[in-house]
Amino acid sequence: MVTRREAAQVLDIPLEMANRHGIPSRLSEAELGELLDSPPAWLVQSRANRTGKRPVWVQLSCAVCGFAETARPKKWWPEFSYVCCAHHAPYELPPLDAGLVRSEYEGVGSRFIGIVDVAVPEA
C-alpha cells in the first residue's frame, strides 16, 4: 500500500492536488501504476502547465549523518550548498573553503538547517 503523500511524490504533484482530485489516503501499487500508465485529464493538464522553474518535491539529505526526507521546496529557499540536521554542530559539516562565507537557514524540511557557501567579493 502507498500513502497519498507517497503517491503525490511519485506523480510529482502537490499533496493538495492529490487531495482535491480524490486520491485516497491509501492506494495499492496497482492503482498507482494505473494512474501512471493512464493519467486522468487533470494530471495531463497539470504536467502540461508545469513551467519547470521549481520542482514540486526535493530530496533533502543530511551532509553529516545521511538522514533523508522528501519535502516541498519553499519560495524563500536559496540554492543550498548542504543541508544538515539541526542537532549537528557546525564543525561536523565539510570545512569552508578559502574565500567563502557560510550562511545558515533554519526551518528547512522537518528538521534541517540549510547551508549556503558563497564567495566573498574581493575589495
Side-chain angles (χ1 to χ4, degrees), residues 69-118:
E69 75 178 22
T70 303
R72 294 284 310 275
K74 307 299 181 223
K75 290 180 181 179
W76 60 266
W77 287 4
E79 187 68 33
F80 296 120
S81 303
Y82 308 101
V83 293
C84 69
C85 298
H87 65 270
H88 292 301
Y91 68 83
E92 295 179 273
L93 285 168
L96 188 61
D97 292 334
L100 297 179
V101 65
R102 183 166 278 172
S103 300
E104 296 182 358
Y105 295 84
E106 294 183 4
V108 176
S110 67
R111 64 191 264 180
F112 293 105
I113 294 176
I115 308 296
V116 178
D117 295 344
V118 295

